[in-house]
Amino acid sequence: MNSVSVRPALIAKAPIRAWRIVGGAFLHFAVPAYVVTVAVATLFTAPTGAPLGDLAHLALGYSGWFLAGYAALALAATLAAAAIEPLVGVRRGRRNAIDPNCAAIDSRRRVTRALADARSLPGADLRRLADALASPRWDHDDERYQALSQDLEQVVHAMTTANRTASDESRPDIVALATRSLQRIDDTLGGLAAERSRLDHGDARTVARYVENRYGPSDFAGS
């Protein structure tokens, strides 16, 4: 018997690309940003006692400027994220090639930082999820857990950034988005942990059968 057990090859799920998160954030907050920006600009620049028709005409003019500026800002931020991401990946790959343990160390650090930032967001559900994700279920030597830690870091960074700049009206929506995202990551982490437990159990059974076949059953109570 050459090997006690052979586990299936681990297939790492690619992390969420940074440009997708940035672009998605701009799309998600486009309407709230439009309403707040155009309304504030219109009210601050409209003459006192201006009729609704004049206000609507003024708001329409600001709408064009806002849409052009917002689209340009979203495009620039998305392209910047897409341009920086490969450079970060190459640097990380070189570091991991020098020391294979770097990937696991980076993964642990990402989880620690992300959960610390997640606890700065309001909401009992978010605190509960942060505590659940801090439990010792992570296997940072596994590439799937490393990819999940990258997703966790990117999600928390996007949510905490949006929360800092959000208005009072949009902040509950950001908290709800963060809660749903962390819940999905927690569910995925639970699935990976359950699979690892199943594989470990299978290894234990295989070892037990190997020992029994090799040495035979015994109660170790012979005279």
Side-chain angles (χ1 to χ4, degrees), residues 3 19 22 32 43 74 96 99 109 121 201 220:
S3 176
W19 68 268
V22 173
L43 293 176
N96 293 344
D99 184 0
R109 289 174 177 171
L121 294 170
H201 194 181
F220 300 100

mmCIF file of all heavy atoms in Angstrom, residues 3 19 22 32 43 74 96 99 109 121 201 220:
data_model
loop_
_atom_site.group_PDB
_atom_site.id
_atom_site.type_symbol
_atom_site.label_atom_id
_atom_site.label_comp_id
_atom_site.label_asym_id
_atom_site.label_seq_id
_atom_site.Cartn_x
_atom_site.Cartn_y
_atom_site.Cartn_z
ATOM 1 N N SER A 3 0.110 4.466 -0.499
ATOM 2 C CA SER A 3 -0.433 5.721 0.036
ATOM 3 C C SER A 3 -1.656 5.432 0.870
ATOM 4 O O SER A 3 -2.476 4.598 0.513
ATOM 5 C CB SER A 3 -0.802 6.668 -1.106
ATOM 6 O OG SER A 3 -1.394 7.826 -0.609
ATOM 7 N N TRP A 19 -11.623 45.518 -10.262
ATOM 8 C CA TRP A 19 -12.336 46.444 -11.141
ATOM 9 C C TRP A 19 -13.829 46.155 -11.163
ATOM 10 O O TRP A 19 -14.640 47.067 -11.349
ATOM 11 C CB TRP A 19 -11.752 46.404 -12.551
ATOM 12 C CG TRP A 19 -11.963 45.123 -13.311
ATOM 13 C CD1 TRP A 19 -11.137 44.047 -13.372
ATOM 14 C CD2 TRP A 19 -13.091 44.790 -14.138
ATOM 15 N NE1 TRP A 19 -11.668 43.056 -14.160
ATOM 16 C CE2 TRP A 19 -12.860 43.493 -14.658
ATOM 17 C CE3 TRP A 19 -14.264 45.458 -14.490
ATOM 18 C CZ2 TRP A 19 -13.767 42.858 -15.500
ATOM 19 C CZ3 TRP A 19 -15.161 44.823 -15.337
ATOM 20 C CH2 TRP A 19 -14.909 43.545 -15.838
ATOM 21 N N VAL A 22 -15.188 47.835 -7.968
ATOM 22 C CA VAL A 22 -15.227 49.293 -8.116
ATOM 23 C C VAL A 22 -16.341 49.702 -9.070
ATOM 24 O O VAL A 22 -17.150 50.599 -8.771
ATOM 25 C CB VAL A 22 -13.864 49.811 -8.611
ATOM 26 C CG1 VAL A 22 -13.951 51.299 -8.934
ATOM 27 C CG2 VAL A 22 -12.790 49.560 -7.564
ATOM 28 N N PRO A 32 -28.617 57.150 -5.984
ATOM 29 C CA PRO A 32 -28.580 58.010 -4.787
ATOM 30 C C PRO A 32 -27.653 59.212 -4.955
ATOM 31 O O PRO A 32 -27.991 60.320 -4.521
ATOM 32 C CB PRO A 32 -28.065 57.060 -3.685
ATOM 33 C CG PRO A 32 -28.411 55.693 -4.174
ATOM 34 C CD PRO A 32 -28.290 55.752 -5.653
ATOM 35 N N LEU A 43 -30.952 73.465 -5.371
ATOM 36 C CA LEU A 43 -31.460 74.275 -4.273
ATOM 37 C C LEU A 43 -30.507 75.398 -3.893
ATOM 38 O O LEU A 43 -30.937 76.498 -3.504
ATOM 39 C CB LEU A 43 -31.738 73.385 -3.060
ATOM 40 C CG LEU A 43 -32.892 72.384 -3.222
ATOM 41 C CD1 LEU A 43 -33.008 71.497 -1.984
ATOM 42 C CD2 LEU A 43 -34.218 73.118 -3.474
ATOM 43 N N ALA A 74 -16.305 57.152 -12.810
ATOM 44 C CA ALA A 74 -16.454 55.698 -12.697
ATOM 45 C C ALA A 74 -15.513 54.973 -13.651
ATOM 46 O O ALA A 74 -14.873 53.977 -13.284
ATOM 47 C CB ALA A 74 -17.904 55.302 -12.991
ATOM 48 N N ASN A 96 5.428 34.989 -3.152
ATOM 49 C CA ASN A 96 5.026 33.625 -2.805
ATOM 50 C C ASN A 96 5.960 32.589 -3.395
ATOM 51 O O ASN A 96 6.131 31.497 -2.835
ATOM 52 C CB ASN A 96 3.598 33.371 -3.293
ATOM 53 C CG ASN A 96 2.587 34.209 -2.533
ATOM 54 O OD1 ASN A 96 2.892 34.738 -1.469
ATOM 55 N ND2 ASN A 96 1.390 34.343 -3.082
ATOM 56 N N ASP A 99 8.881 32.361 -0.969
ATOM 57 C CA ASP A 99 8.488 31.691 0.272
ATOM 58 C C ASP A 99 7.054 31.187 0.120
ATOM 59 O O ASP A 99 6.120 31.978 0.145
ATOM 60 C CB ASP A 99 8.586 32.659 1.455
ATOM 61 C CG ASP A 99 8.272 31.977 2.786
ATOM 62 O OD1 ASP A 99 7.981 30.760 2.776
ATOM 63 O OD2 ASP A 99 8.322 32.659 3.825
ATOM 64 N N ARG A 109 -3.429 37.537 7.414
ATOM 65 C CA ARG A 109 -3.424 38.982 7.650
ATOM 66 C C ARG A 109 -4.644 39.645 7.027
ATOM 67 O O ARG A 109 -5.227 40.559 7.617
ATOM 68 C CB ARG A 109 -2.145 39.594 7.083
ATOM 69 C CG ARG A 109 -0.893 39.238 7.879
ATOM 70 C CD ARG A 109 0.363 39.740 7.190
ATOM 71 N NE ARG A 109 1.555 39.462 7.984
ATOM 72 C CZ ARG A 109 2.800 39.637 7.539
ATOM 73 N NH1 ARG A 109 3.000 40.107 6.309
ATOM 74 N NH2 ARG A 109 3.833 39.358 8.318
ATOM 75 N N LEU A 121 -18.365 48.776 11.212
ATOM 76 C CA LEU A 121 -19.668 49.037 10.611
ATOM 77 C C LEU A 121 -20.767 48.818 11.643
ATOM 78 O O LEU A 121 -20.648 47.937 12.502
ATOM 79 C CB LEU A 121 -19.887 48.118 9.408
ATOM 80 C CG LEU A 121 -18.964 48.343 8.209
ATOM 81 C CD1 LEU A 121 -19.115 47.216 7.201
ATOM 82 C CD2 LEU A 121 -19.249 49.688 7.550
ATOM 83 N N HIS A 201 -12.231 12.909 7.960
ATOM 84 C CA HIS A 201 -12.890 11.708 8.458
ATOM 85 C C HIS A 201 -12.592 10.524 7.549
ATOM 86 O O HIS A 201 -12.336 9.403 8.011
ATOM 87 C CB HIS A 201 -14.393 11.952 8.556
ATOM 88 C CG HIS A 201 -15.112 10.917 9.362
ATOM 89 N ND1 HIS A 201 -16.466 10.943 9.555
ATOM 90 C CD2 HIS A 201 -14.672 9.804 10.017
ATOM 91 C CE1 HIS A 201 -16.824 9.908 10.292
ATOM 92 N NE2 HIS A 201 -15.751 9.201 10.576
ATOM 93 N N PHE A 220 -5.120 -6.445 22.193
ATOM 94 C CA PHE A 220 -3.878 -6.159 22.907
ATOM 95 C C PHE A 220 -3.912 -6.682 24.338
ATOM 96 O O PHE A 220 -3.328 -6.110 25.245
ATOM 97 C CB PHE A 220 -3.581 -4.650 22.923
ATOM 98 C CG PHE A 220 -3.430 -4.077 21.542
ATOM 99 C CD1 PHE A 220 -4.475 -3.388 20.949
ATOM 100 C CD2 PHE A 220 -2.250 -4.261 20.817
ATOM 101 C CE1 PHE A 220 -4.349 -2.872 19.674
ATOM 102 C CE2 PHE A 220 -2.131 -3.739 19.553
ATOM 103 C CZ PHE A 220 -3.160 -3.054 18.954
#
